[in-house]
Amino acid sequence: MSDYRRANAKGGTYFFTVVTYRRQAFLCYERVRSALREGIKAAQLTNPFTIDAWVLLPDHLHTIWTLPPDDADFGIRWALIKRFVTKQCNPEFKREDWLNPSKLKRKESTIWQRQYVGWISAAHPLNSIIPNDGCVALIHPTCLLHS
């Protein structure tokens, strides 16, 4: 079993990579982009955070967030955003042939990869390592790397 260790820095600045299930290339579709925007706004209403940088690519995204000084729970924010996008886009992007017993048991969709922390994706507290302007500079080369 995997042993994921998540950073727990209240008010921290975090770098995330979130990937679609089986690297499906649909994140840049207008419907999905709109759902992401709406999901972020909805999550920010109840669980505020600041987006310092964001790169959206067809099959994954990179983002840097700063959480409020008294809060380290980025997991609830991702859960709210992913759930919102799934509810908005699942009819269009759901793949019945990819629903295995594990996905059915967990009531998961075929839109997102289960984990966003690990070797493919990571959440690192950055503000203790790199100043915020340096954090944003980390994300810019991603566009060129993937183009």
Side-chain angles (χ1 to χ4, degrees):
M1 177 170 239
S2 300
D3 180 24
Y4 293 102
R5 295 181 187 202
R6 292 191 176 166
N8 190 19
K10 291 183 177 183
T13 299
Y14 296 89
F15 174 85
F16 300 97
T17 299
V18 179
V19 182
T20 60
Y21 187 64
R22 294 192 179 182
R23 291 273 185 178
Q24 298 171 87
F26 57 71
L27 288 180
C28 293
Y29 293 1
E30 179 56 36
R31 177 160 170 63
V32 180
R33 289 192 342 249
S34 293
L36 273 169
R37 270 192 301 274
E38 293 172 29
I40 290 164
K41 287 177 186 175
Q44 286 176 321
L45 288 175
T46 56
N47 298 279
F49 62 97
T50 302
I51 298 173
D52 301 309
W54 190 284
V55 174
L56 185 65
L57 298 158
D59 64 352
H60 67 286
L61 62 87
H62 301 288
T63 185
I64 298 173
W65 291 357
T66 300
L67 300 185
D70 60 340
D71 195 346
D73 190 1
F74 54 79
I76 188 63
R77 291 160 171 87
W78 277 120
L80 291 168
I81 293 167
K82 287 172 135 185
R83 188 175 305 125
F84 187 94
V85 172
T86 299
K87 285 183 178 183
Q88 295 294 311
C89 300
N90 205 32
E92 190 174 342
F93 298 106
K94 184 176 183 178
R95 292 281 310 264
E96 294 286 343
D97 54 324
W98 288 352
L99 287 172
N100 57 37
S102 175
K103 281 198 157 301
L104 291 169
K105 179 181 175 184
R106 295 171 185 255
K107 298 181 181 177
E108 292 179 345
S109 74
T110 56
I111 292 182
W112 303 107
Q113 270 193 17
R114 183 174 296 155
Q115 297 294 335
Y116 54 86
V117 177
W119 69 271
I120 287 178
S121 49
H124 307 287
L126 296 172
N127 53 349
S128 62
I129 302 168
I130 306 168
N132 278 353
D133 57 344
C135 293
V136 175
L138 287 173
I139 223 169
H140 288 159
T142 301
C143 296
L144 299 173
L145 178 69
H146 294 290
S147 63

